[in-house]
Amino acid sequence: MQNKPYLKEFPNEEGFFGRFGGSFVDEKIKKAMQEISDSYNLIAQNSDFIAELRKIREHFQGRPTPIYFAHNLTKACGGAGIYLKREDLNHTGAHKLNHCMGEALLAKFMGKKKLIAETGAGQHGVALATAAAYFGLECEIYMGEVDILKEHPNVVRMKILGAKVIPVTHGAKTLKEAVDSAFEAYLKDMENSIYAIGSVVGPHPFPKMVRDFQAIVGIESKEQFLKMSGELPDVVVACVGGGSNAMGIFSAFVDDPVELVGVEPLGKGNGFGEHAASLSYGEEGIMHGFNSIMLKDDGGNPAPVYSVASGLDYPSVGPEHAYLHSIGRTKVATISDEEAIEAFFKLSRQEGIIPAIESSHALAYALKIAPHLKGRKILVNLSGRGDKDLDFIVEKYGYGE
C-alpha cells in the first residue's frame, strides 16, 4: 500500500509532527484553540472559501509572484544557477500576507471582530493590518520597543492602515516579548478576537494552518521552476526564524529529491545571547504552547537572542522544522550579520533588487555554496523586500561603499 503524501500525514490530529508540536496550554485556551481548529478544518474543505481566497490572491495580492533567474549573481559566482522566488513582489512586500488574509477570512467566518498579533520586523503586522482593513476588522499589533525604532517605516504603515500599535517595553523588548504581550491581550477577549500568529509556531492548529496558507509559495515555485527549466531545483533555500516562509516553499518539495536548507541567524557569533540559531544550538523545550527546539538559559528558560534581522530573533522554531531536521529531511545552516548585510548590498547592486535583511540570510548562503555547485540550480525564497530596513541600514552601514 502506497504511503500518503507527507502533507496528508503531518501533523496528526493532536497537532504533532513526531514528538514536536502539540498544544501545551490550559483548558480554557485549549478550548479556544479547538474552536479555531474545527472552524479551519470546516472552511478548508469549503469550495466557497477556497474560491474567495484564490480571488483575493489573484486580484488583491498580485499572485502568482514570479521566479527570477539572477543572471548577474550567477555569473559573478561562476557556479550554480541562482533563482529567486519573488515574494518581495507580493502585496505589502513579503510572504506574510499569504497567511494573514487566510487568518482574517477565518476570523470573519467565526464572527470575530478583532485581530490580535505580534510582529518583529513589522511585515506580519503590516500584512495583518492590511487584512483587517480589507475585511473591516479591528487590529491590535504588539511590537517590541527595539523593533519599533529599528523598523519605523513599517510602524507608520500599520498606523496608516488603521491598526493600533502597542509598544512592548519589558525584557529584551523584541519578538519574544511581543508574542507574550499579544497572547496576554488575546486571553482577555477570546470571545471577540482571534490571535493571528505570525509564523508556523504556537499551539495547534497554528503551525499547520500557517503552513497551509503559505504552501501557495511552494505550489507556485514547483510549477514555475518546471516550466522554466524542465526540472526541479537541486537546492531550495529559505531563512528561518519561526519559519513560515521556509515551510511555505519547502512544503511542495518534501516528497521530492530536492535538498532543503533552512538558514538561521548566527548574528554576532555562537556565544550566549549573540545569535538566534535555535536548531543549530538549541535543545528540546516547550514555549508559547508548543514543543520544539529552543535556545535556553541555565535555568531552562528561553535564552536572550539577537539578530540584525528583527524577523528572525526568536528563541525557538516551528515544530515542523524541528521534526524535518530531526529525521534528516532538511539541512540547517547559519549566516552571520556581516554575511547577510554583504548579500543585501550584492543583490541591490548587481540585480537591482533590495531584499529584506531576513531574506538576505538565505541569499548569503546561496552565494556561499553556488561556486561549488557548478551545473546545479539553487532556488532562494526571497521572502520580502528591504524598504522597511533602509533607514536602519544607512544609519548602521552607510551605502555599502
Side-chain angles (χ1 to χ4, degrees), residues 22 34 43 86 107 157 253 341 387:
Q34 190 61 53
I43 64 170
R86 296 291 306 278
R157 291 169 79 193
F253 298 99
I341 298 302
D387 303 34

Side-chain angles (χ1 to χ4, degrees), residues 73-141:
L73 283 181
T74 297
K75 185 177 179 181
C77 287
I82 299 171
Y83 295 76
L84 309 175
K85 175 59 172 167
R86 296 291 306 278
E87 286 301 286
D88 59 310
L89 296 178
N90 192 32
H91 180 46
T92 74
H95 69 290
K96 294 291 187 180
L97 195 62
N98 299 329
H99 67 257
C100 286
M101 293 305 287
E103 287 177 332
L105 189 55
L106 173 62
K108 197 82 172 173
F109 173 80
M110 295 175 69
K112 305 296 184 181
K113 296 171 184 163
K114 183 193 292 184
L115 303 174
I116 295 175
E118 83 296 331
T119 194
Q123 284 302 137
H124 175 60
V126 168
L128 200 67
T130 300
Y134 183 96
F135 288 106
L137 299 167
E138 296 174 51
C139 186
E140 281 184 8
I141 304 295

Side-chain angles (χ1 to χ4, degrees), residues 183-261:
F183 209 75
E184 285 170 15
Y186 168 63
L187 295 182
K188 293 174 184 175
D189 191 20
M190 289 191 288
E191 186 177 340
N192 297 306
S193 62
I194 188 170
Y195 181 26
I197 290 178
S199 192
V200 286
V201 298
H204 178 67
F206 283 99
K208 169 184 166 56
M209 198 164 75
V210 173
R211 176 200 71 188
D212 290 353
F213 287 136
Q214 288 294 343
I216 187 63
V217 181
I219 292 166
E220 287 177 5
S221 295
K222 193 171 184 177
E223 182 181 329
Q224 290 167 328
F225 209 92
L226 283 167
K227 188 175 180 180
M228 287 177 77
S229 67
E231 60 185 1
L232 294 175
D234 296 288
V235 187
V236 175
V237 183
C239 64
V240 175
S244 58
N245 91 90
M247 274 319 310
I249 197 165
F250 288 175
S251 62
F253 298 99
V254 171
D255 293 321
D256 297 315
V258 175
E259 185 175 299
L260 306 176
V261 185

Side-chain angles (χ1 to χ4, degrees), residues 67-86 225 228 233-237 343 346-347 350-351 353 359 362-382:
I67 284 180
Y68 168 70
F69 174 60
H71 50 95
N72 292 330
L73 283 181
T74 297
K75 185 177 179 181
C77 287
I82 299 171
Y83 295 76
L84 309 175
K85 175 59 172 167
R86 296 291 306 278
F225 209 92
M228 287 177 77
D234 296 288
V235 187
V236 175
V237 183
K346 273 190 179 177
L347 185 62
Q350 296 186 22
E351 297 289 352
I353 300 169
S359 315
L363 179 65
Y365 178 76
L367 295 176
K368 185 183 281 191
I369 64 171
H372 311 291
L373 298 176
K374 195 165 186 176
R376 298 178 72 186
K377 297 178 177 69
I378 303 169
L379 175 60
V380 178
N381 194 14
L382 198 72

Side-chain angles (χ1 to χ4, degrees), residues 120-167:
Q123 284 302 137
H124 175 60
V126 168
L128 200 67
T130 300
Y134 183 96
F135 288 106
L137 299 167
E138 296 174 51
C139 186
E140 281 184 8
I141 304 295
Y142 290 78
M143 189 172 188
E145 204 170 47
V146 169
D147 295 330
I148 284 176
L149 294 172
K150 205 166 151 187
E151 306 288 4
H152 179 69
N154 272 347
V155 177
V156 173
R157 291 169 79 193
M158 284 183 267
K159 289 181 177 179
I160 287 174
L161 288 161
K164 185 178 180 182
V165 181
I166 301 165

